[in-house]
Structures are given as C-alpha cells and as structure tokens.
Amino acid sequence: ISYCCCSLETGTMRSLLSCACAAGGLTVSVLSAHDPGAWTKGTCGKDGSRQRAECNLKVYDAAAQAAAAAGAELLVLPEGYGLSANPSKDGFFEPLAADGGLLLCGGDGRDQPQQAALSCSAQRHGVALAANVFVQLSNGTKRIVELVYNTTGHLVSVYHKHHLFPTEIGIFEPGPFKPTTVDLLGRR
C-alpha cells in the first residue's frame, strides 16, 4: 500500500478538500478542516439538528463535485459530527434506510434526508462516497454508521461503529463486532 497527499486547487473547496492522491491505482479525496458548527447566520439551526445536517450536506455535495473534477474516484467524508456537529440525546437521528443495495436518490427522502442526499451526490458527480451518519434503528437504538455509496449512488455497505469514544457513550449504542468489507470500484 502506498500513501500520499497533495494539495488541490479547487476554488472554494481548496481549503477543505485536502487530499486527492492515487493509492494503489485508486484516487481518493478527503474532506478535512470542515467545521460543521460554523454556521452563524440563516436557517442552519443548532448543533445536532436536522437543519444543521442539511446545511452541511451542501458542503458535502460541493466537496463531491470538487473531488470528481479533480479526478477522485472515492471521497471520504468526516465522521457524523461533520453533518450535525455536537450530538445530543434529543438531536436529529434518521432511520437507517437498509443494509445495502438501495438507491435512495430519486425517492422522497423525507425519512432519510442525509442518506438520500449522499446517494444523490454520489450519483450526480460520479464519485463513490464514504460517510458517517447518526441513525436510529426501529427498536430506538441510536448508532453511528459508516455508509458507502458507489458511483451510481447505490448504498453498497453499512458499518455500525463498534468502539465508541467516552463522549459518545450515553448517546449511542455500539454496533455489533462485524468487520466489514465492500466491493467498490473493482476492488475489495
């Protein structure tokens, strides 16, 4: 495995899209230095709210566009805090759509707005995405999940975070110990 990092000149995303590099023939971009709590004006709501997540999804979509323009095949997005900043027990948690295979883009997206928006970003820009979302299962359990979308916007993998930080305990439940692999971009 080879590691590299380079800077991108991508307009407004220049400072956020910190790396687009080829590792083993795969070009990966990473969104970094994004402050999801920086919204001070407008209708972006408070930390942990649905409105805050929706505002940050616009940043994610711009990052997907910039990553695709830079030739990235995969964009890795921040942990769920990148969407809603500081989670709380009474914050926004959307239902988990499914365990994979679904195309959420094009549906109404009312119940899973973050998952649908990520699906549409992947499809619209033709770049695979790996993103974290805070969800609530049908039994009321709240989890942090890593979702992977292919370039057509299909959800191809769901990983439930197993090892929680001390600050996450009390808000989230750990997922099962289930190492996850995915077939993506001709690789496993």
Side-chain angles (χ1 to χ4, degrees):
I1 299 175
S2 62
Y3 299 93
C4 64
C5 191
C6 55
S7 62
L8 287 176
E9 296 295 326
T10 56
T12 60
M13 294 305 297
R14 178 179 45 218
S15 63
L16 296 178
L17 202 56
S18 67
C19 187
C21 58
L26 179 65
T27 305
V28 179
S29 282
V30 177
L31 176 62
S32 64
H34 169 54
D35 181 359
W39 302 98
T40 58
K41 297 179 183 175
T43 59
C44 287
K46 63 178 184 156
D47 282 357
S49 69
R50 180 176 178 155
Q51 294 81 11
R52 177 64 53 93
E54 288 170 350
C55 288
N56 285 309
L57 283 164
K58 293 174 186 174
V59 174
Y60 281 18
D61 188 63
Q65 181 179 16
E73 298 168 275
L74 171 64
L75 173 61
V76 179
L77 297 164
E79 267 201 273
Y81 303 100
L83 284 172
S84 38
N86 300 311
S88 65
K89 287 182 181 183
D90 61 344
F92 175 64
F93 298 85
E94 64 184 42
L96 181 60
D99 283 330
L102 285 181
L103 176 63
L104 298 170
C105 186
D108 66 18
R110 269 181 283 169
D111 292 333
Q112 294 94 6
Q114 296 169 102
Q115 296 164 77
L118 291 165
S119 173
C120 289
S121 286
Q123 184 183 63
R124 180 173 32 260
H125 304 297
V127 63
L129 299 177
N132 234 225
V133 174
F134 299 153
V135 299
Q136 184 167 335
L137 305 182
S138 59
N139 66 4
T141 301
K142 295 176 180 174
R143 297 242 175 99
I144 301 172
V145 295
E146 181 73 12
L147 306 172
V148 179
Y149 297 88
N150 66 17
T151 59
T152 62
H154 287 84
L155 179 63
V156 294
S157 181
V158 177
Y159 170 76
H160 297 256
K161 185 174 181 178
H162 179 68
H163 296 286
L164 300 176
F165 288 108
T167 56
E168 296 169 340
I169 296 170
I171 299 172
F172 302 99
E173 294 293 325
F177 179 72
K178 186 179 176 186
T180 306
T181 61
V182 61
D183 293 318
L184 183 69
L185 302 168
R187 295 163 182 83
R188 175 167 273 242

